[in-house]
Amino acid sequence: MSQQLQQPRVLSIAGTDPTGGAGVQADLKSIAAAGGYGMAVVTSLLAQNTRGVQEIHTPPQSFLTAQLSSVFDDVEVDAVKIGMLGNATVTRTVSEFLRLHPVGVVVVDPVMVATSGDRLLSADAEEAVREFIREHATVVTPNIPELAVMLGTAPAATFEEAVEQGARYAAAAGVDVLVKGGHLTGPVASNALVSADGSAHVIDLPRVDTANTHGTGCSLSSALATRMLLDATPAAAAEWASHWLHEAIVHADALHVGHGNGPVDHFHRLRRLAGGES
């Protein structure tokens, strides 16, 4: 690896979470844990906590562009993680900016469907996100319901079906797809990195019995964006990010943050090292 990328400069473009478990706050923690230098441009300000979202404020598009310009005018950006875009206007603003300021690695977490199953975007916004992925994405990291929305089909009932859906979308959009099994049931919650050529790299992960999984999608995609610049292959990056997140979920119950679905422990490895553990 080059000297330049020993600590990749990774920009999160996403919404906020004032309790720190999701959004740009989780992204910055994940980027740091994965070995990168994190930056953040805010698309939407959310009043949310571990119990849910109470209110959303979307700043003017001129301010979004000003934030993006502030970063790109001063810092060389090695990778971008895209989180909550929220609506078609925001999506097109970010797309137009990246068209003029291309970045080699763009990981898109398509925030379309809540864990509850509720759709978070209007139909025109969903199509704008699909267009964004086709034009800019290196890897897209949908959950099971989001993958179904992107394909216009029913959600997968099994991991094998999810991988097949991921392969179809990867071929159609020309991107790698990190298929995530966390929304399924059973003793495993494996991931698979599926390439546009149909090949799949499966990452076997046991399921963790916990409700504290707030921000897992944000965290995984941010770690992946960072490791894409540090590991030899996208498959190796997906392995690192997936196993790191699994450990973060294993240690989540010890955080005691909030009274709902709590966050994962982004710095579980650092905490163990600080305590003298290996």
Side-chain angles (χ1 to χ4, degrees):
M1 128 198 10
S2 69
Q3 182 71 22
Q4 176 186 4
L5 295 184
Q6 286 187 351
Q7 190 172 23
R9 295 150 294 193
V10 183
L11 173 64
S12 164
I13 304 174
T16 65
D17 177 0
T19 61
V24 296
Q25 285 88 344
D27 292 344
L28 291 173
K29 295 174 186 177
S30 303
I31 292 164
Y37 176 82
M39 302 169 284
V41 164
V42 173
T43 57
S44 296
L45 297 162
L46 279 72
Q48 70 166 312
N49 52 33
T50 64
R51 290 172 167 166
V53 176
Q54 292 80 48
E55 192 172 337
I56 300 175
H57 170 68
T58 302
Q61 295 306 286
S62 58
F63 185 68
L64 173 56
T65 301
Q67 291 181 80
L68 289 164
S69 296
S70 291
V71 175
F72 280 84
D73 287 350
D74 186 44
V75 181
E76 186 172 346
V77 178
D78 301 309
V80 169
K81 174 268 169 86
I82 301 292
M84 178 181 177
L85 294 171
N87 60 51
T89 301
V90 171
T91 304
R92 292 180 185 122
T93 296
V94 176
S95 182
E96 289 167 8
F97 193 92
L98 290 182
R99 197 174 297 132
L100 298 173
H101 304 81
V103 178
V105 172
V106 178
V107 175
V108 179
D109 182 20
V111 183
M112 292 178 165
V113 184
T115 302
S116 63
D118 295 330
R119 298 282 277 267
L120 301 177
L121 296 179
S122 61
D124 65 327
E126 287 178 357
E127 183 53 38
V129 170
R130 290 188 189 96
E131 292 174 6
F132 184 97
I133 291 168
R134 287 192 293 267
E135 180 172 359
H136 299 289
T138 309
V139 185
V140 60
T141 63
N143 59 32
I144 295 291
E146 287 161 349
L147 181 56
V149 169
M150 289 157 60
L151 280 170
T153 189
T158 66
F159 184 66
E160 291 73 20
E161 185 182 359
V163 171
E164 187 276 329
Q165 289 185 356
R168 277 198 284 144
Y169 188 80
V175 298
D176 286 354
V177 179
L178 184 62
V179 176
K180 303 180 295 187
H183 277 71
L184 299 170
T185 58
V188 297
S190 299
N191 295 338
L193 184 69
V194 184
S195 301
D197 63 6
S199 61
H201 179 81
V202 176
I203 304 159
D204 293 318
L205 299 165
R207 187 173 299 279
V208 181
D209 184 16
T210 180
N212 295 320
T213 57
H214 181 53
T216 49
C218 307
S219 302
L220 179 61
S221 55
S222 299
L224 177 62
T226 307
R227 298 306 303 190
M228 290 280 288
L229 293 159
L230 292 173
D231 294 312
T233 64
E239 283 268 2
W240 192 100
S242 296
H243 286 289
W244 165 80
L245 181 63
H246 170 75
E247 289 185 31
I249 297 171
V250 167
H251 292 272
D253 289 357
L255 286 180
H256 305 293
V257 174
H259 294 87
N261 296 318
V264 302
D265 187 356
H266 297 88
F267 294 117
H268 54 280
R269 291 182 176 177
L270 183 61
R271 213 177 322 284
R272 291 204 305 276
L273 288 173
E277 300 176 42
S278 60

